Amino acid sequence: MYTGGVHGMSTVTSYNFDLIKGVELQLSDVAKTSTARGKIKKYAITDLKNRAARGEMIFPEYLDEITIDNERPFYFTGSGIAIKFFEYEVAPYAAGMPEVKVPNKIFR
């Protein structure tokens, strides 16, 4: 989508399904409690801060403001989930749409 300025804005939408039940899964179906989602947020913040410390293009001053809820795009990996962040949310446009891979043991 082009909204003016130097470049357009991208978005991502994820669709995750329980193929046995035939229902779409939300993040709250995977990380069932607010405590579990809080652990995902803490893990993501730590991972992104570590990336910033290594010189990656991350905005560490904005990380405490991220939300981990049913609006957050995610997908399943072999060992957990990957959560996506939008352009400018945690990094500059040039960094793309960062993601953090969160192992199951963090939120289960």
Side-chain angles (χ1 to χ4, degrees), residues 89-101:
E89 186 177 15
V90 298
Y93 180 83
M97 299 175 86
E99 63 183 38
V100 174
K101 292 184 178 171

Side-chain angles (χ1 to χ4, degrees), residues 48-69:
L48 292 166
K49 283 182 178 178
N50 288 339
R51 291 185 199 185
R54 291 191 307 266
E56 289 189 37
M57 295 185 295
I58 300 290
F59 299 143
E61 62 274 16
Y62 297 114
L63 296 179
D64 290 332
E65 299 173 18
I66 65 172
T67 57
I68 303 297
D69 58 20

Side-chain angles (χ1 to χ4, degrees), residues 2-101:
Y2 182 74
T3 57
V6 178
H7 44 69
M9 295 289 290
S10 299
T11 190
V12 65
T13 303
S14 63
Y15 298 97
N16 299 284
F17 288 90
D18 178 327
L19 297 178
I20 303 297
K21 296 178 182 175
V23 296
E24 185 175 0
L25 297 174
Q26 303 294 319
L27 188 57
S28 62
D29 296 318
V30 177
K32 296 181 186 284
T33 65
S34 60
T35 300
R37 291 183 296 280
K39 289 178 180 181
I40 291 171
K41 179 177 178 173
K42 182 178 178 182
Y43 184 90
I45 289 170
T46 300
D47 181 73
L48 292 166
K49 283 182 178 178
N50 288 339
R51 291 185 199 185
R54 291 191 307 266
E56 289 189 37
M57 295 185 295
I58 300 290
F59 299 143
E61 62 274 16
Y62 297 114
L63 296 179
D64 290 332
E65 299 173 18
I66 65 172
T67 57
I68 303 297
D69 58 20
N70 285 339
E71 301 302 314
R72 173 69 52 203
F74 78 99
Y75 63 89
F76 290 97
T77 67
S79 61
I81 60 171
I83 56 173
K84 298 288 289 180
F85 295 95
F86 298 106
E87 294 165 344
Y88 296 112
E89 186 177 15
V90 298
Y93 180 83
M97 299 175 86
E99 63 183 38
V100 174
K101 292 184 178 171

Side-chain angles (χ1 to χ4, degrees), residues 92-108:
Y93 180 83
M97 299 175 86
E99 63 183 38
V100 174
K101 292 184 178 171
V102 183
N104 283 326
K105 66 181 180 180
I106 299 299
F107 58 90
R108 293 252 165 127

